[in-house]
Amino acid sequence: MRIVFMGTPLFAVPSLAALLDSAHEVVGVFCQPDRPQGRGNKLTACPVKQLAESRAVPVYQFQKLRAPEGVAALMALKSDYVVTAAFGQILSQALLDIPAHGTVNVHASLLPNYRGPAPINWCLINGETMTGVTTMMTDAGIDTGDTLLFDAVPILPDECAGALTERLSHVGAALLMRTLDKLEKGVCPRAPQDHALASRHPMLTKELGRIDWSRSAKQIVDLIRGTDPWPGAHTAMDGGVLKVIWARALAQDTDAAPGTVLTGDAKHGLTIATGQGVLAVEQLQAPGGKRMPAADYLRGHPMTPGMRLGEEQA
RNA sequence: CGCGGGGUGGAGCAGUCUGGCAGCUCGUUGGGCUCAUAACCCAAAGGUCGAGGGUUCAAAUCCCUCCCCCGCAA
């Protein structure tokens, strides 16, 4: 079939790769415009664009795909299906009407749960133990269209968002291929979502990664896992922002106020009081530094028991 | 030319402003102590102070050039 692919970040890459290696013909790839990125603000092509260019597939980038030029470009490709995976733009009805048989979306949750742009992160933040990937027929709403196939995946206890995204991206690619196969043969199941059961979560923000020490140690660990590569869990510290990369929740209890450093030397490690339980920080990143084991950091920067984290400097 | 922090034995850092013996907390190795230990005591090894050039009697430190790492912002 003639497929137009729309996607941008790493999550979409395995799906595009699977399409390119299949019998289907990828006639065009749409992704977000190149953005200034990294130190020096160099214009950087997204992962999907890099793959598409390496395979000599035409790439289209529109600030707003729903603008007339975008609609015209998609129309000209005369596709059977549009396939989207973390594209980053909302498709208007005019765009959805273009492909002959519709638009298929690969979504990294078990719909109707975790609709929205960051399902993987929110699953982890909320402490879920199960998630998955769903393929669906896109309609004008956000992740509200009829579902096609799904694949449930258990979340590993020590898994962070980066690793889970990587894992689900491959599950998604396989599921997409099965979905297209069934669609082509006309045997794909299709069911409307139960909107009463739906949940939807917003885009991640930097602020979301700020650790609220009054929450339980377990909840803070889940925040750390769910925000792992970005925005990262962080807290205010004397001299800047302390990023907590990895931590464990200890069963022990303490009378100290949430955010209080209990131990802060290389021998005992960095342990911090929370609203419920104690957080043992194992990996961290200090201002100007790189990620390192907490004990390494403490060798050069011992922290005084009793000092408070998370309090804005005056 | 977006803004900023950093590079010092194996790890994390101090020292740089104000040039003058290469230091700290650990780790490693050897020895001691101990019923025992990730504990304690003694000792040792381990350095191109990111690279190159310049100034100086003397440079980790001051000046110039370059390389690399990280944060912010997106």
Side-chain angles (χ1 to χ4, degrees), chain A residues 109-314:
Chain A
S109 82
L110 297 175
L111 291 170
N113 280 315
Y114 292 98
R115 292 174 176 172
I120 300 171
N121 303 277
W122 282 106
C123 273
L124 289 165
I125 291 169
N126 290 337
E128 302 285 353
T129 55
M130 190 64 83
T131 184
V133 181
T134 307
T135 50
M136 51 170 282
M137 296 304 301
T138 303
D139 65 14
I142 294 179
D143 301 323
T144 52
D146 296 351
T147 58
L148 302 171
L149 302 180
F150 70 91
D151 200 348
V153 173
I155 297 176
L156 306 178
D158 279 345
E159 200 161 38
C160 64
L164 184 55
T165 299
E166 153 86 18
R167 213 151 60 89
L168 290 181
S169 69
H170 290 100
V171 172
L175 189 70
L176 171 64
M177 298 316 293
R178 275 196 281 138
T179 302
L180 288 177
D181 185 53
K182 287 184 186 296
L183 284 171
E184 190 167 22
K185 291 174 179 159
V187 297
C188 192
R190 175 169 178 164
Q193 294 185 36
D194 185 341
H195 300 290
L197 297 178
S199 66
R200 180 172 158 191
H201 294 80
M203 203 127 52
L204 299 184
T205 63
K206 187 84 188 167
E207 172 62 19
L208 185 80
R210 196 168 56 78
I211 295 173
D212 176 358
W213 292 105
S214 70
R215 300 180 71 98
S216 75
K218 159 82 165 87
Q219 286 174 314
I220 292 171
V221 167
D222 288 339
L223 178 74
I224 293 164
R225 296 168 65 209
T227 57
D228 169 59
W230 195 91
H234 55 267
T235 190
M237 184 183 67
D238 200 28
V241 174
L242 178 71
K243 289 191 171 187
V244 180
I245 309 300
W246 201 247
R248 283 180 300 124
L250 300 183
Q252 63 184 260
D253 261 311
T254 173
D255 292 334
T260 304
V261 172
L262 299 175
T263 62
D265 59 88
K267 193 176 299 179
H268 300 94
L270 177 56
T271 54
I272 301 163
T274 69
Q276 185 189 334
V278 171
L279 191 76
V281 177
E282 302 196 330
Q283 294 263 332
L284 56 76
Q285 183 163 17
K290 51 181 65 173
R291 294 178 170 208
M292 66 180 79
D296 285 359
Y297 174 77
L298 293 170
R299 262 192 277 286
H301 306 270
M303 294 170 80
T304 319
M307 67 177 284
R308 298 287 295 278
L309 296 175
E311 297 183 343
E312 298 304 326
Q313 306 300 312

Side-chain angles (χ1 to χ4, degrees), chain A residues 86-105:
Chain A
F87 174 47
Q89 290 193 31
I90 296 171
L91 304 187
S92 62
Q93 190 60 50
L95 288 164
L96 295 172
D97 288 341
I98 295 173
H101 303 296
T103 297
V104 175
N105 181 230

